[in-house]
Amino acid sequence: MSDDAAPWLIVGLGNPGAEYAGNRHNIGFMVADLLAERIGGKFKAHKARAQVVEGRMGPPGPLNRRVVLAKPMSFMNLSGGPVTALRDFYKVPLDRIVAVHDELDIDYATLRLKLGGGDNGHNGLKSMTKSMGADYHRVRCGIGRPPGRMQVADFVLKDFSSTERKELDWFVDRSADAVECLVQEGLERAQSAYNS
C-alpha cells in the first residue's frame, strides 16, 4: 500500500463518559465530534478501544483526503494504546497522525499547530509518544493556565467557565477548520492561517 493511499488518523483526545464531556481536557473530543458532523459520519465502536468514523475530507479533487476520526475510549493517560492499535489497523504513517488536544501554555481560544516535540506534561501526548514516537502532528487548543493556586488536574477536569463558553463554539469550529487545512494543504499553510 503506497503512502498516498494511507488515510489520515485524526485523534481527538479526551476522557470517555458523560461526566467529562464538557471538561477543558475534552476539547479534542469536541473537535472530533464537529469534524464527524462535517463529513456526515457517526462514531462507531472499534476493537482498538476507540470510537471511529471513516470518511473523506475536503472538496472533490486532489485535496480530498481519506480520514479516520478517532476518540480513544481509554482514559487520557492511556491514549497511546488505542491510537497505536488504530495506526496499525489502518496502516497510517506517523506523520499522518494528528492529535487534537488541550494546551495549558497557550491562552484560551488560541491555536498552535506543530509536528513533533515534547508532551509539555500532557498525559495523553505522553502516552502516545511513549507508544509510537513523537513525530506526529499536534493541533494545540489553548485553554490557558489555572487561576490562582488551583491545581492543574482540577483545572483541566472542570467544565469551561461561562465566559469561556461564549467563545467555545467559535473556538471548536476554528480548531476543526485548522485540522481540515492541515490535512488538505499541509502544515505550513495551516500554521500561517491558524497559528496565533
Side-chain angles (χ1 to χ4, degrees):
M1 179 165 160
S2 77
D3 267 1
D4 272 358
W8 282 77
L9 175 58
I10 299 159
V11 181
L13 291 178
N15 285 310
E19 69 271 35
Y20 299 105
N23 289 180
R24 293 183 178 94
H25 224 17
N26 272 40
I27 193 159
F29 274 18
M30 296 172 197
V31 175
D33 285 338
L34 179 58
L35 288 167
E37 209 177 287
R38 288 183 181 183
I39 67 171
K42 287 213 182 322
F43 279 99
K44 293 183 178 68
H46 189 281
K47 64 182 182 190
R49 283 183 310 142
Q51 291 192 339
V52 300
V53 174
E54 296 177 49
R56 301 199 73 87
M57 188 178 275
L63 291 184
N64 191 266
R65 303 278 187 255
R66 195 172 142 229
V67 294
V68 177
L69 303 174
K71 297 191 293 186
M73 289 291 114
S74 59
F75 281 94
M76 180 72 89
N77 57 347
L78 301 171
S79 301
V83 177
T84 303
L86 289 169
R87 176 201 68 184
D88 295 347
F89 182 84
Y90 290 104
K91 300 179 173 52
V92 181
L94 197 53
D95 66 356
R96 282 204 184 180
I97 296 175
V98 182
V100 184
H101 64 92
D102 57 307
E103 178 67 65
L104 288 160
D105 286 338
I106 302 175
D107 289 340
Y108 177 65
T110 300
L111 280 174
R112 299 268 163 75
L113 289 82
K114 69 175 189 174
L115 175 64
D119 55 54
N120 216 11
H122 192 288
N123 289 331
L125 297 180
K126 201 175 284 180
S127 177
M128 282 179 62
T129 297
K130 191 175 167 197
S131 291
M132 56 190 194
D135 292 330
Y136 52 88
H137 288 91
R138 294 98 191 276
V139 174
R140 304 157 73 205
C141 305
I143 59 168
R145 288 298 235 173
R149 296 176 177 216
M150 187 189 282
Q151 294 294 314
V152 164
D154 295 333
F155 179 70
V156 298
L157 293 176
K158 278 211 173 8
D159 286 3
F160 288 97
S161 70
S162 53
T163 311
E164 289 169 334
R165 276 200 295 271
K166 290 181 182 134
E167 274 188 281
L168 186 58
D169 286 349
W170 171 85
F171 185 30
V172 168
D173 200 59
R174 186 170 163 77
S175 302
D177 291 347
V179 171
E180 289 181 346
C181 184
L182 167 64
V183 166
Q184 290 164 38
E185 300 181 56
L187 181 62
E188 279 179 33
R189 174 83 188 81
Q191 284 175 326
S192 67
Y194 293 96
N195 277 13
S196 36

